[in-house]
Each structure stands twice: as C-alpha cells, then as structure tokens.
Amino acid sequence: MTQTNKHKWLVGLGVWNLYFLVKFWLHLNQWIQIDFAANLALFCFIAIQLPTKLLNSFKQLTALLWAILLLYSESWLPPLSNLTENFYLLSQFSVQYVADLFGRFISIELIYPLIIATVSYIYLSRWIRFTTLSLVGLLSLPAYSLLNSNTPMVKEQRSETPQAPQVQAITKQKIVPVIDADNPQQALDQFYQIQQSLEPVVFAPNDKANFDVLILNICSLSWADLQAAGIDSKSLFKDYDMVFKHYNSATSYSGPAALRILRASCGQVPHNQLFSDSNEKQCYLFENLKKLGYQTSLAMNHDGHFDNFIGLIKQQGHLEHNPILLKNQPISQYAFDNTPVYKDINLLSDWFSQYKGSGQPQAFYYNTISLHDGNQIINQKPLSEVESYALRVKILFSDINTFIRQIEQSGRKTMLIIVPEHGAALKGDKMQFSGLREIPSPNIVSVPVAVKFIGKSNQQAEPIYIEQNTSHYALSTLIKGAMESHIFYNDLPLSQLTQTLPKSTLVAENEGAILMEFNNTPYIKLSNSDWMIYPGYQ
C-alpha cells in the first residue's frame, strides 16, 4: 500500500448511495421534501475516513441514526414532538389499531421501487461510480427546485398594512368576499379580515321559532371517503332537500370541528382562537337558538372523554348540557381505543321520545363516531378497512332514515341537518397514509352536508345541489332564512333560500398546518415552513 493510500481520508459511500438515490426518487415524486444542506452534511460525514476501524464503526452507527431522523423529518409524517406531546392519547389506541396503522404505513407503492432500486444498485455498482452520481444529484437539487415550476415554494410575505379586501354586500345575508392577493399568505390574511367583518347571524325576536333544528354531527365522512368506499352518493342523499357539494369543514380533527359548527353564527377564525375564552356568545348557534325560545339538548353515541371532547363542546362550544345517559344503551361497535360505541337509532329514538310531546321548539346536537377509523363492529367477521367503512355507512344512514320516519309520523316540523366533522381519510395521499388526519387535506375537509325539511307540505322530487364554496356560516344563514321565510307554512321554493347563502374560500387549519385555496389551487403551510402546492395537485 502506498503512503498516499494509507492516509487517504475520503472514501466512496458504498451502500449509502442507495439511501441518497432512493431519496432523490422520493423527492421527485413528492413523497418527501429533501433538506439540501442537511443531506450534503450527511454525505460529507459518511465520506470521511477515520483512522481506526472502531471509530469508523461508530461513525456508521451515528450516520444511520442521523439518516433515519433526517428522512423522518423530510417526510410529511407528524413531527416527533407531536408524538411525545400526545403520547397519552396515543397510548389509548388499541393494539389492533396500532398494528393496522403500521400496516398502512408500509406502502406497496413504495416497496416495489425500493426492491427494484436495491437490485439495480447491486448489479450496476460494478460498472458505475454511484458516489459521483449521488454527489451530482445532491448538488443539482437547488437548481431543480428553482427551475421546477410545478412545485413552487412561496415565501411568506407579510406587510405591516396588508391590502384591504374588497367586500361586496349583495343583501343583508349574502356577502361575497373578493380576495385580491399576490401570494397565499396575503390571501389568508385577507380571508380572516373578511371573516372578522361578517355580521353575526343573530335571530331577531320576530323570527318564528316554529320548527325544530336538529344537527347530526358525523365524525369521518367526506366526498372522497364515499368515492373510495364505492358508495353512490346520489342514492345516499336522494331523499334530502339540499346537498352542499363544496362544504369546507375547516379542520380535520373532531374537537375543533365541533367547535367550528357550534360557533357557526360568526365568520371563521384561526385555529388558536377556537380555544380562547371568548365572550362573543352571539357567535354560538345554540346560544342564539336558546335566546329565541328553543330548548337545547345534547346526545352522543360515545362517552366523549377521548381528548376531552365533551369538555370542549361544553366550555368552548357553550353547549352546557349533560348528554343523554348511555347506561343500558345497546353497543354496536368498539372504537379504536376499545371504548363502546352505542347504536345510533336507539339514542336518537330515546331522545325523540323524551321531547316529541314538548310544545317548545327543540335545538338538538347529536355527535356520532360510528364511522371513525379503526372501529370494529360487534359480531362481525374481520373486514378490510374499506369494507368495514362501507358497511358502517350503510348502517348509520339506515338508522338516520328510521329516525326521519319517526319524526314524519309525529307531525313535528323539523329542519334536520347532517354535518360531518371531517373525512376519515379512507384513501391516503402523498402527504398522509389512510387514516392519518394530521394535515387538513382537500379530500378530508370537503364534506357532504345534507338538509331535510321534515313536514314541509310541498316536497321536492330531488335535492338541490349547492355548487358554491360554503362553510359553517352558511348554515346559520340558512336556518335564519328558513325562519324569516316561514318555510314550513308556505309554498316558497327552497331554491330561494340558497340564493342568499354566503360564499367562502377553502381555508382549513390544524395546529401546525394550514390549507388555503389560492388561484384555484390548494396550498399547504406546515409549521414554520413556506407555502407550497399540496402534493398531487399540480
């Protein structure tokens, strides 16, 4: 061995080339977002030849740990800090559900290319200097990011005095926001200015409280879920009077979703404002109905203790009622945390039997988790994720249809509204595998909202489909419009109510993630990163 070779301090990467080449492929296909500086530092660290075998072994172990953590940070998976902060909630998941989630994480779509890349590397490494190829590929990444217009990263730009949005007041109830912005952040700032300027939908003393208002808040139901499960949505909603095609749930987690529905009388607020102590009671739908003379009540087909759901809707949602007791109620499923999920029709029927004879109008909030990911139906043979979901949708809507018939037979005039909290993420995407809802994707927050006016004399042959972008503020507007127009006591066409519904813009938030539609394209912003087009929507 020559003196030069004896003391050489740089070596080829060897099998580490496979790590970098696979990451290039994942980055180009938008499965991860490569950190150029961190990967270049890892490349240099691996290439350094240390003087002893022991030190080189320690270097390899350090590089392995570094590489794993780096790859995780570059993926769209929740930050490790989220896992530690929510360890108590995660520890409540059943062993079966954890195993199921792990199985979804291992994607066949990714395993096949990995096998091909491994075999190709082993075969071609005899002729190709892969270390040079890896370095060239790594150094090309900044140029690729600049030249590739299909995956733009938009720097956050805030101005001290952001451009004021234009607001066109069409009528007292119809407000059409016009956002004129140069980038998603500016558009988001304008959106919240518009939402803050919206007048609360407060019911006047002369509004006629002569019908019941029932809100069925369904966890885990979106248009994308219905499509993934092979369910005919037209058949599912054929007996309803209105169906919202582009309704934004504004979040992908249950607690915030329920709060947003309960404060539907005001415009949309940022995620962190949902949990602040607010004296704006005019924003809370059930508080406004109560002032008008409604008797408010609450029921759920679960105990509400996971993530303090019941505490949130009572304290921040101002729905300060004890739910219907679950004791002696029949169990239909066991949830992802092994807690019982009770039969919807029994709870709905029990509530109705208590209040159907009341002379006071009723405002009822019902929350069901029958469609939640990971639920297991009692006495049912093992089913795939999609098969189980489709069956549970069938059972749930059968129960709702039975409940509707009970109301029809009673003669009570009722405005029944189905509002999903968010989707189930039955089909994953490039940012999240199925069932993961850390990021509010377009498919998760676009939910089917259906309205039925039970007891209206002139029933429609088919539902009105509302094509415009809407959100929770439109529901309060619709309820107020139904009161002002005495909708149950005249032949006014329901289409007249839809003409005054306020439009909205797609904005959805979780802690650390914001989705914003800008120039008809969904953009996502994670924590302190820049805005980027949601992967898969180029």
Side-chain angles (χ1 to χ4, degrees):
M1 180 180 293
T2 66
Q3 189 71 11
T4 302
N5 288 334
K6 182 178 179 180
H7 296 288
K8 70 177 183 179
W9 59 278
L10 288 178
V11 293
L13 266 61
V15 74
W16 278 105
N17 285 298
L18 184 60
Y19 171 82
F20 286 103
L21 294 174
V22 167
K23 286 183 73 172
F24 295 156
W25 180 85
L26 291 172
H27 177 74
L28 294 177
N29 286 274
Q30 297 186 292
W31 291 104
I32 64 172
Q33 187 70 41
I34 278 188
D35 183 332
F36 168 73
N39 279 274
L40 184 59
L42 176 61
F43 182 99
C44 295
F45 179 75
I46 296 170
I48 295 174
Q49 175 73 7
L50 298 177
T52 68
K53 185 176 181 181
L54 180 61
L55 287 176
N56 277 300
S57 297
F58 180 74
K59 181 197 76 172
Q60 292 293 332
L61 289 174
T62 303
L64 179 62
L65 179 60
W66 183 355
I68 292 172
L69 292 175
L70 179 58
L71 179 59
Y72 187 93
S73 69
E74 293 168 330
S75 74
W76 310 118
L77 292 170
L80 291 173
S81 59
N82 286 21
L83 300 180
T84 55
E85 290 171 4
N86 296 299
F87 178 77
Y88 174 71
L89 293 177
L90 297 172
S91 68
Q92 297 179 51
F93 288 5
S94 68
V95 174
Q96 181 179 357
Y97 187 48
V98 172
D100 185 28
L101 289 176
F102 183 75
R104 299 180 204 176
F105 173 73
I106 303 173
S107 170
I108 296 297
E109 191 175 352
L110 296 179
I111 287 177
Y112 287 163
L114 181 59
I115 294 173
I116 294 171
T118 302
V119 173
S120 300
Y121 171 79
I122 293 172
Y123 182 74
L124 295 174
S125 60
R126 291 175 288 181
W127 300 289
I128 299 176
R129 295 178 62 88
F130 276 103
T131 299
T132 302
L133 190 62
S134 297
L135 181 58
V136 170
L138 191 56
L139 295 176
S140 302
L141 284 176
Y144 172 82
S145 297
L146 290 173
L147 294 174
N148 183 16
S149 60
N150 288 330
T151 56
M153 302 290 291
V154 182
K155 293 286 186 182
E156 180 174 336
Q157 298 179 14
R158 287 183 180 271
S159 58
E160 294 183 3
T161 56
Q163 184 178 355
Q166 303 173 33
V167 180
Q168 300 174 354
I170 306 301
T171 69
K172 182 173 62 175
Q173 292 181 0
K174 184 176 181 180
I175 301 174
V176 180
V178 179
I179 293 177
D180 182 15
D182 298 325
N183 58 70
Q185 184 61 49
Q186 193 179 86
L188 182 69
D189 294 340
Q190 290 188 16
F191 170 79
Y192 280 126
Q193 287 181 6
I194 291 171
Q195 293 298 306
Q196 188 176 8
S197 71
L198 297 179
E199 290 292 331
V201 181
V202 180
F203 305 111
N206 59 346
D207 287 337
K208 296 297 182 181
N210 50 22
F211 59 88
D212 297 336
V213 177
L214 312 185
I215 292 183
L216 308 186
N217 195 197
I218 301 174
C219 177
S220 303
L221 178 67
S222 70
W223 289 111
D225 296 329
L226 293 176
Q227 184 178 15
I231 297 171
D232 182 2
S233 59
K234 286 191 175 181
S235 176
L236 194 67
F237 298 115
K238 64 182 177 62
D239 294 325
Y240 290 81
D241 296 310
M242 296 178 184
V243 178
F244 291 73
K245 288 293 295 293
H246 301 285
Y247 190 99
N248 171 29
S249 71
T251 184
S252 60
Y253 276 122
S254 295
L259 294 182
R260 290 193 180 278
I261 292 166
L262 292 173
R263 70 176 316 281
S265 294
C266 285
Q268 188 172 326
V269 297
H271 175 80
N272 59 354
Q273 290 186 25
L274 289 174
F275 307 96
S276 61
D277 294 329
S278 173
N279 295 320
E280 298 177 325
K281 286 202 171 183
Q282 73 272 19
C283 291
Y284 295 92
L285 175 60
F286 279 74
E287 279 288 316
N288 291 331
L289 291 171
K290 188 176 180 180
K291 290 177 182 177
L292 194 61
Y294 277 82
Q295 181 178 8
T296 57
S297 54
L298 161 69
M300 306 183 299
N301 76 334
H302 55 102
D303 62 20
H305 287 100
F306 187 83
D307 204 17
N308 192 32
F309 180 83
I310 184 65
L312 279 177
I313 63 175
K314 281 185 174 183
Q315 296 165 17
Q316 275 77 32
H318 296 276
L319 190 57
E320 298 172 358
H321 292 278
N322 290 322
I324 290 177
L325 294 176
L326 298 174
K327 186 178 180 180
N328 299 325
Q329 291 286 344
I331 299 172
S332 61
Q333 306 172 28
Y334 280 98
F336 59 94
D337 58 351
N338 277 332
T339 57
V341 179
Y342 299 91
K343 285 189 176 181
D344 291 291
I345 186 55
N346 291 75
L347 283 161
L348 292 170
S349 297
D350 283 1
W351 172 84
F352 192 58
S353 66
Q354 292 181 37
Y355 294 99
K356 66 180 180 181
S358 173
Q360 190 176 4
Q362 300 297 312
F364 176 50
Y365 173 84
Y366 180 72
N367 184 271
T368 174
I369 62 167
S370 293
L371 303 184
H372 196 288
D373 187 46
N375 286 9
Q376 299 295 321
I377 303 172
I378 291 178
N379 298 325
Q380 175 65 49
K381 66 179 182 179
L383 298 171
S384 69
E385 178 190 358
V386 173
E387 290 171 336
S388 172
Y389 186 84
L391 178 58
R392 286 182 284 130
V393 168
K394 180 180 178 181
I395 294 171
L396 173 60
F397 275 84
S398 175
D399 286 352
I400 293 174
N401 290 338
T402 300
F403 180 53
I404 289 173
R405 287 193 295 271
Q406 291 176 358
I407 298 173
E408 289 173 338
Q409 291 168 6
S410 74
R412 288 191 73 100
K413 300 187 185 303
T414 302
M415 183 179 181
L416 182 140
I417 307 171
I418 291 178
V419 192
E421 294 177 354
H422 50 70
L426 192 61
K427 183 180 179 181
D429 58 27
K430 290 192 174 183
M431 293 199 83
Q432 300 178 116
F433 57 80
S434 65
L436 192 62
R437 293 179 281 105
E438 189 76 11
I439 298 169
S441 73
N443 283 342
I444 294 175
V445 301
S446 180
V447 298
V449 170
V451 182
K452 187 170 180 64
F453 294 91
I454 304 171
K456 182 171 168 56
S457 56
N458 56 329
Q459 293 292 323
Q460 298 181 154
E462 57 184 21
I464 299 170
Y465 280 89
I466 300 166
E467 299 288 343
Q468 69 190 41
N469 289 332
T470 55
S471 195
H472 305 308
Y473 187 72
L475 282 189
S476 282
T477 305
L478 183 63
I479 294 170
K480 183 174 176 63
M483 290 179 181
E484 290 181 339
S485 63
H486 309 289
I487 196 66
F488 284 93
Y489 298 94
N490 57 47
D491 295 331
L492 185 74
L494 294 176
S495 58
Q496 188 163 328
L497 293 181
T498 67
Q499 293 173 6
T500 60
L501 295 180
K503 297 178 182 179
S504 185
T505 300
L506 176 59
V507 173
E509 286 189 68
N510 287 345
E511 185 176 358
I514 306 176
L515 176 74
M516 171 88 196
E517 187 174 67
F518 176 66
N519 290 341
N520 297 317
T521 303
Y523 281 75
I524 193 76
K525 186 177 189 296
L526 303 178
S527 299
N528 296 319
S529 64
D530 297 323
W531 287 95
M532 62 178 291
I533 292 178
Y534 195 96
Y537 280 82
Q538 284 78 6

